[in-house]
Amino acid sequence: MVKKSVVWKVGAMACISALALSACGSGNDSATTKDGKPVINVQVILDARAEKMQKMGWTKGLETACDCYINWTNTGSASWDQQKKTSLAAGEVADVTIGGYGSGDMSDYGSLFMNLKPELKSMPNVSKMFKEDPYSEVVSTTYDGKIYGTPVVARPVTARTSNHMFINKQWLDKLGLKVPTTWDELATVLKAFKTQDPNGNGKADEIPMDFYTPGTDGFWLFQPNVLLSSMGIVVPNGPLGMYVDNGKVKNYLTDSRYKTLIQFMHQLWADGVVSPEAFTHDWSKFTSTAKGNGKTATVGFEWMWTPSGTFGQENADQYVTIPSLKQSADQKEDPVWSYNGDDLAYKVDSAVISSSVKNKEAALKFVDAFYSADMSVQARYGAFGTAVKKLGTNHYKVLNAPAGHEEADWMFYQALGDAAPGWINSDMKLELPQIHSEVKTVDKVYDNDYKNVNFNKDILYQNMPATKEQNDAMSANNTGINQYAMSKFAQWVTKGGVDNEWDEYVAKLKQNKLQDNVATEQKIYDTYVKRMNKLGVNLNNFNE
């Protein structure tokens, strides 16, 4: 069985040569040190900014917890993909791998990893997490009831969505305009941004609207499909077009509301208020453009994560977050907002153990140690004394970066950041620097929109497990669906023609078995919800 892969999952590391494979695998290494301590070989995904694990002060606590010697292997994510294939093909995985394998890897290689479900009695911290936050167990469980890895769980410090909608309030004020509440009002504002020099530099350098370039394989984050929320569709970050409405899986690619969105976007393009590079720029160009030119902002409206992270410290205070717009002022449908909060708060298979590990007891203790309160905080933010001050039981203050380190990079330099196995829970009191807490303020803007969402019936969950057969069938169908649908979106926005070609387009998607995929997704969803109900999960409690 296999879980479906999700977008933007961090990969991890392995050894690429035969010699390295022998060194990092569990099969050929000494099982104990000279003084008899068990040895466990641990592979870790490291951010490009990170120190080696051996130099992170908090890792010594892991050795104490497992009473073992840890043989660390540090590898960056950039080289992981090919290395992972080599490692899996050779049947050589480390005793423990952190961040290295996604749920999709368990399809063909599940036998290489230990099923942790029978071992939970030896993992008190993980067992406590599963009991107190049963959704963490739901996301960790495969279609056939196995648990191949432990997750990252950090709901109190994460957002409900990655998509936050920003507009330059300073520009609005200068032009005497109000924050838009409808699509028509947005169009009026964007035209003013284009023609009235709101940044005041005498140049026509304003980009009224920008978004991240949609790919040929579907929509991801920070793209215009989020505007479907205006008409009641809770847009997920997942399979192209799929969403859930009152427990029923649907697909918006053939929905008239999607056609309405395309018509609106084409009009904006024809008005010249969308960045001419919106369908061609890469991530680097998109993010650098948002930061403007020094203290001069150049982008008026876009979707992103936080103002400071998007527009830079110099220009962030010009922007405000705005809630979902209405498609029209007189619409009866309540606006909602996009949601991928379950994926932000619950990252699956963060730590996995080899099925052939020699020192099983030590490996289980090692993984379980990440889920104590103290280690969860340190693995995410950094060691006590240098990055975190412990103020009391379950009470922590995350410190600002020291001189010589960028604030945004600090937690990724001497910790694993949001990729760290661990359990940040509501019993903890965390005092965070502004850079870590800003997203919660931004996210709160959507409280009223989320009141119109039933999180138990209106969400396409990100980590739903599927059988290999289900995944293979959907992937085969998607080959024809995704490229065709996305090419049409780009064509219709930039050149028009959706009205004349819509019926033919809908017919072709049906020929490509779009409805078969919807039916399969419904079966996957129903099985997942059944497991949620069995464990007493109520996600509405998580999103109040």
Side-chain angles (χ1 to χ4, degrees):
M1 303 297 178
V2 60
K3 291 181 186 175
K4 295 186 300 176
S5 298
V6 241
V7 64
W8 288 13
K9 280 195 170 188
V10 177
M13 40 159 242
C15 305
I16 191 167
S17 66
L19 178 61
L21 283 168
S22 174
C24 73
S26 60
N28 298 316
D29 294 335
S30 175
T32 60
T33 62
K34 290 181 180 179
D35 59 0
K37 278 196 172 186
V39 174
I40 54 174
N41 300 291
V42 182
Q43 286 185 306
V44 188
I45 168 66
L46 283 181
D47 188 278
R49 296 164 284 188
E51 276 275 32
K52 292 183 178 180
M53 293 294 289
Q54 296 91 323
K55 293 185 177 182
M56 297 184 189
W58 55 271
T59 61
K60 296 298 181 184
L62 294 170
E63 288 193 330
T64 300
C66 67
D67 193 24
C68 65
Y69 174 78
I70 302 172
N71 180 29
W72 297 102
T73 302
N74 301 276
T75 303
S77 59
S79 60
W80 168 239
D81 188 52
Q82 184 57 47
Q83 294 183 28
K84 179 177 73 171
K85 293 176 183 176
T86 304
S87 181
L88 290 173
E92 292 279 356
V93 298
D95 294 331
V96 179
T97 306
I98 297 173
Y101 299 103
S103 53
D105 297 316
M106 305 306 165
S107 173
D108 296 322
Y109 301 101
S111 62
L112 296 177
F113 303 98
M114 184 187 299
N115 176 15
L116 299 178
K117 192 162 187 176
E119 313 299 336
L120 291 176
K121 58 184 180 296
S122 300
M123 307 179 79
N125 293 323
V126 173
S127 295
K128 181 181 179 183
M129 175 181 67
F130 283 170
K131 181 179 180 180
E132 296 185 12
D133 186 348
Y135 193 64
S136 65
E137 182 175 353
V138 172
V139 301
S140 302
T141 305
T142 63
Y143 186 89
D144 55 350
K146 293 175 180 160
I147 297 176
Y148 283 122
T150 57
V152 178
V153 178
R155 187 167 49 84
V157 294
T158 56
R160 293 166 295 188
T161 181
S162 297
N163 285 306
H164 300 114
M165 191 157 57
F166 304 119
I167 196 164
N168 193 309
K169 183 65 162 57
Q170 185 170 299
W171 289 8
L172 291 174
D173 292 344
K174 180 177 179 180
L175 301 180
L177 299 170
K178 294 181 179 180
V179 173
T181 61
T182 67
W183 287 12
D184 283 346
E185 290 175 4
L186 175 63
T188 298
V189 163
L190 295 178
K191 291 176 187 176
F193 284 175
K194 176 180 174 62
T195 60
Q196 298 182 36
D197 191 26
N199 67 11
N201 67 352
K203 302 177 182 178
D205 58 351
E206 288 85 0
I207 300 170
M209 172 190 277
D210 201 6
F211 50 82
Y212 183 42
T213 302
T216 58
D217 56 347
F219 292 108
W220 302 120
L221 298 172
F222 321 129
Q223 294 170 348
N225 63 321
V226 72
L227 284 176
L228 289 167
S229 299
S230 299
M231 298 175 283
I233 295 176
V234 182
V235 179
N237 181 32
L240 178 58
M242 297 291 184
Y243 71 101
V244 173
D245 178 17
N246 195 30
K248 185 174 177 59
V249 176
K250 300 179 180 180
N251 193 287
Y252 61 69
L253 290 178
T254 56
D255 191 299
S256 62
R257 290 171 291 183
Y258 180 62
K259 179 181 178 183
T260 298
L261 170 64
I262 292 171
Q263 292 167 329
F264 175 66
M265 290 303 302
H266 173 61
Q267 187 58 56
L268 295 183
W269 185 273
D271 290 340
V273 298
V274 178
S275 168
E277 297 182 324
F279 285 95
T280 57
H281 54 30
D282 61 13
W283 177 254
S284 177
K285 183 64 184 298
F286 169 64
T287 54
S288 63
T289 298
K291 290 178 170 53
N293 296 316
K295 295 183 179 181
T296 301
T298 55
V299 174
F301 174 96
E302 73 177 41
W303 301 274
M304 242 294 198
W305 180 242
T306 61
S308 61
T310 304
F311 305 106
Q313 294 295 332
E314 290 184 311
N315 295 319
D317 61 355
Q318 295 187 31
Y319 294 83
V320 294
T321 314
I322 60 175
S324 187
L325 304 172
K326 288 186 174 183
Q327 188 270 326
S328 63
D330 58 351
Q331 73 180 51
K332 295 180 180 179
E333 183 75 51
D334 290 325
V336 292
W337 193 242
S338 69
Y339 182 83
N340 63 314
D342 58 323
D343 192 44
L344 294 172
Y346 300 86
K347 301 181 186 302
V348 301
D349 296 328
S350 176
V352 297
I353 300 177
S354 168
S355 58
S356 59
V357 61
K358 290 181 179 178
N359 292 304
K360 174 180 171 180
E361 181 180 352
L364 291 169
K365 287 181 178 178
F366 169 80
V367 170
D368 192 61
F370 275 98
Y371 295 86
S372 69
D374 285 356
M375 192 56 67
S376 292
V377 171
Q378 291 182 94
R380 189 178 184 90
Y381 296 108
F384 291 157
T386 58
V388 179
K389 183 177 181 180
K390 184 174 181 180
L391 302 177
T393 303
N394 285 346
H395 187 185
Y396 311 91
K397 181 177 182 179
V398 177
L399 306 175
N400 289 309
H405 288 275
E406 292 291 333
E407 196 70 56
D409 296 339
W410 178 231
M411 69 184 285
F412 297 99
Y413 173 74
Q414 37 75 71
L416 296 177
D418 56 9
W423 179 29
I424 305 296
N425 58 70
S426 56
D427 290 335
M428 295 177 178
K429 183 177 181 182
L430 277 173
E431 299 178 24
L432 300 173
Q434 189 267 347
I435 194 169
H436 298 307
S437 58
E438 179 184 7
V439 72
K440 300 294 282 189
T441 302
V442 170
D443 204 68
K444 189 171 177 56
V445 170
Y446 300 95
D447 282 355
N448 286 333
D449 295 316
Y450 284 129
K451 287 179 181 178
N452 301 320
V453 177
N454 184 330
F455 291 89
N456 296 321
K457 292 185 176 182
D458 297 330
I459 301 299
L460 186 73
Y461 307 109
Q462 299 287 296
N463 294 303
M464 297 187 298
T467 67
K468 184 178 187 301
E469 292 73 22
Q470 287 172 329
N471 270 340
D472 289 347
M474 293 180 72
S475 295
N477 294 340
N478 283 338
T479 300
I481 294 169
N482 293 1
Q483 291 188 1
Y484 176 68
M486 295 310 297
S487 67
K488 282 298 180 183
F489 178 79
Q491 174 190 325
W492 287 335
V493 169
T494 58
K495 298 179 181 179
V498 66
D499 293 318
N500 293 333
E501 299 178 16
W502 180 257
D503 291 342
E504 178 185 353
Y505 158 83
V506 170
K508 187 164 183 177
L509 288 182
K510 289 180 179 179
Q511 291 172 7
N512 281 305
K513 301 183 179 180
L514 177 63
Q515 287 310 118
D516 287 1
N517 275 11
V518 171
T520 300
E521 194 78 48
Q522 183 74 59
K523 292 178 182 178
I524 295 168
Y525 173 85
D526 289 344
T527 301
Y528 194 74
V529 170
K530 184 177 180 180
R531 190 183 301 280
M532 286 172 53
N533 293 337
K534 182 178 180 180
L535 292 177
V537 172
N538 180 2
L539 292 182
N540 286 320
N541 291 339
F542 291 0
N543 296 282
E544 293 175 343

Short mmCIF file of all heavy atoms in Angstrom, two decimals, residues 8 68 112 138 187 199 223 242 277 286 298 318 324 348 465 482 521:
data_model
loop_
_atom_site.label_atom_id
_atom_site.label_comp_id
_atom_site.label_asym_id
_atom_site.label_seq_id
_atom_site.Cartn_x
_atom_site.Cartn_y
_atom_site.Cartn_z
N TRP A 8 5.58 19.77 -2.76
CA TRP A 8 6.59 20.48 -2.01
C TRP A 8 7.05 19.74 -0.77
O TRP A 8 7.40 20.34 0.20
CB TRP A 8 6.12 21.90 -1.63
CG TRP A 8 6.07 22.82 -2.79
CD1 TRP A 8 6.16 22.47 -4.10
CD2 TRP A 8 5.91 24.22 -2.75
NE1 TRP A 8 6.06 23.57 -4.86
CE2 TRP A 8 5.90 24.67 -4.08
CE3 TRP A 8 5.77 25.16 -1.72
CZ2 TRP A 8 5.76 26.00 -4.40
CZ3 TRP A 8 5.62 26.48 -2.04
CH2 TRP A 8 5.62 26.88 -3.37
N CYS A 68 22.91 5.40 23.37
CA CYS A 68 23.56 4.79 22.21
C CYS A 68 24.52 5.78 21.57
O CYS A 68 24.57 6.96 21.95
CB CYS A 68 22.51 4.35 21.20
SG CYS A 68 21.57 5.72 20.46
N LEU A 112 11.39 -2.50 3.27
CA LEU A 112 12.66 -2.02 3.82
C LEU A 112 12.46 -1.27 5.14
O LEU A 112 13.44 -1.00 5.85
CB LEU A 112 13.36 -1.09 2.83
CG LEU A 112 13.81 -1.71 1.50
CD1 LEU A 112 14.42 -0.64 0.61
CD2 LEU A 112 14.80 -2.84 1.74
N VAL A 138 -3.99 9.20 12.42
CA VAL A 138 -4.68 9.03 11.14
C VAL A 138 -3.73 9.30 9.98
O VAL A 138 -3.64 8.50 9.04
CB VAL A 138 -5.91 9.98 11.05
CG1 VAL A 138 -6.51 9.93 9.65
CG2 VAL A 138 -6.96 9.57 12.07
N ALA A 187 -10.77 44.70 -9.81
CA ALA A 187 -10.40 45.11 -11.17
C ALA A 187 -10.22 46.62 -11.26
O ALA A 187 -9.28 47.11 -11.90
CB ALA A 187 -11.47 44.64 -12.16
N ASN A 199 3.26 54.30 -6.57
CA ASN A 199 4.50 54.30 -5.78
C ASN A 199 5.26 55.62 -5.89
O ASN A 199 6.29 55.80 -5.23
CB ASN A 199 5.40 53.11 -6.14
CG ASN A 199 5.97 53.16 -7.55
OD1 ASN A 199 5.87 54.18 -8.24
ND2 ASN A 199 6.56 52.05 -7.98
N GLN A 223 -1.48 31.05 -6.65
CA GLN A 223 -1.95 31.15 -8.03
C GLN A 223 -3.44 31.50 -8.07
O GLN A 223 -4.15 31.33 -7.07
CB GLN A 223 -1.65 29.83 -8.76
CG GLN A 223 -0.14 29.61 -8.89
CD GLN A 223 0.25 28.23 -9.39
OE1 GLN A 223 -0.57 27.31 -9.45
NE2 GLN A 223 1.52 28.08 -9.74
N MET A 242 -9.45 18.86 -7.86
CA MET A 242 -10.24 18.13 -6.86
C MET A 242 -10.57 19.02 -5.66
O MET A 242 -9.76 19.83 -5.22
CB MET A 242 -9.48 16.90 -6.37
CG MET A 242 -9.20 15.86 -7.43
SD MET A 242 -10.69 15.02 -8.00
CE MET A 242 -9.97 13.81 -9.13
N GLU A 277 4.95 38.58 -17.05
CA GLU A 277 5.80 37.42 -16.80
C GLU A 277 5.10 36.36 -15.94
O GLU A 277 5.72 35.37 -15.56
CB GLU A 277 7.09 37.86 -16.10
CG GLU A 277 7.95 38.79 -16.92
CD GLU A 277 9.24 39.17 -16.21
OE1 GLU A 277 9.18 39.32 -14.96
OE2 GLU A 277 10.27 39.28 -16.87
N PHE A 286 9.92 35.47 -9.39
CA PHE A 286 8.65 35.82 -8.74
C PHE A 286 8.88 36.42 -7.36
O PHE A 286 8.32 37.47 -7.03
CB PHE A 286 7.79 34.56 -8.64
CG PHE A 286 6.56 34.70 -7.77
CD1 PHE A 286 5.55 35.59 -8.09
CD2 PHE A 286 6.41 33.93 -6.62
CE1 PHE A 286 4.41 35.72 -7.29
CE2 PHE A 286 5.30 34.04 -5.82
CZ PHE A 286 4.29 34.94 -6.14
N THR A 298 6.79 47.66 -5.94
CA THR A 298 6.38 47.62 -7.35
C THR A 298 5.20 46.69 -7.60
O THR A 298 4.60 46.75 -8.67
CB THR A 298 7.55 47.18 -8.25
OG1 THR A 298 8.06 45.93 -7.80
CG2 THR A 298 8.67 48.23 -8.24
N GLN A 318 3.73 48.22 4.01
CA GLN A 318 2.81 48.84 3.05
C GLN A 318 1.60 47.95 2.76
O GLN A 318 0.59 48.42 2.23
CB GLN A 318 3.53 49.12 1.72
CG GLN A 318 4.65 50.15 1.82
CD GLN A 318 5.21 50.51 0.46
OE1 GLN A 318 4.48 50.49 -0.55
NE2 GLN A 318 6.49 50.84 0.40
N SER A 324 -11.29 36.65 1.78
CA SER A 324 -11.84 36.24 0.50
C SER A 324 -12.76 37.31 -0.07
O SER A 324 -13.55 37.93 0.65
CB SER A 324 -12.62 34.93 0.67
OG SER A 324 -13.03 34.42 -0.57
N VAL A 348 3.95 13.78 7.19
CA VAL A 348 4.02 12.35 7.46
C VAL A 348 5.42 11.78 7.20
O VAL A 348 6.23 12.35 6.47
CB VAL A 348 2.99 11.58 6.60
CG1 VAL A 348 1.59 12.06 6.91
CG2 VAL A 348 3.29 11.73 5.11
N PRO A 465 -4.19 8.04 2.37
CA PRO A 465 -3.50 6.89 1.77
C PRO A 465 -4.35 6.22 0.70
O PRO A 465 -5.57 6.14 0.80
CB PRO A 465 -3.29 5.95 2.96
CG PRO A 465 -4.39 6.30 3.91
CD PRO A 465 -4.64 7.77 3.74
N ASN A 482 -3.97 16.73 -16.97
CA ASN A 482 -3.26 17.89 -16.42
C ASN A 482 -2.67 18.82 -17.48
O ASN A 482 -2.89 20.04 -17.45
CB ASN A 482 -2.15 17.42 -15.48
CG ASN A 482 -2.70 16.77 -14.22
OD1 ASN A 482 -3.91 16.64 -14.05
ND2 ASN A 482 -1.82 16.34 -13.34
N GLU A 521 -11.03 9.04 -6.14
CA GLU A 521 -10.74 9.95 -5.03
C GLU A 521 -11.82 9.86 -3.96
O GLU A 521 -11.54 9.96 -2.76
CB GLU A 521 -10.61 11.39 -5.54
CG GLU A 521 -9.98 12.36 -4.56
CD GLU A 521 -8.48 12.23 -4.50
OE1 GLU A 521 -7.82 12.21 -5.55
OE2 GLU A 521 -7.95 12.17 -3.37
#
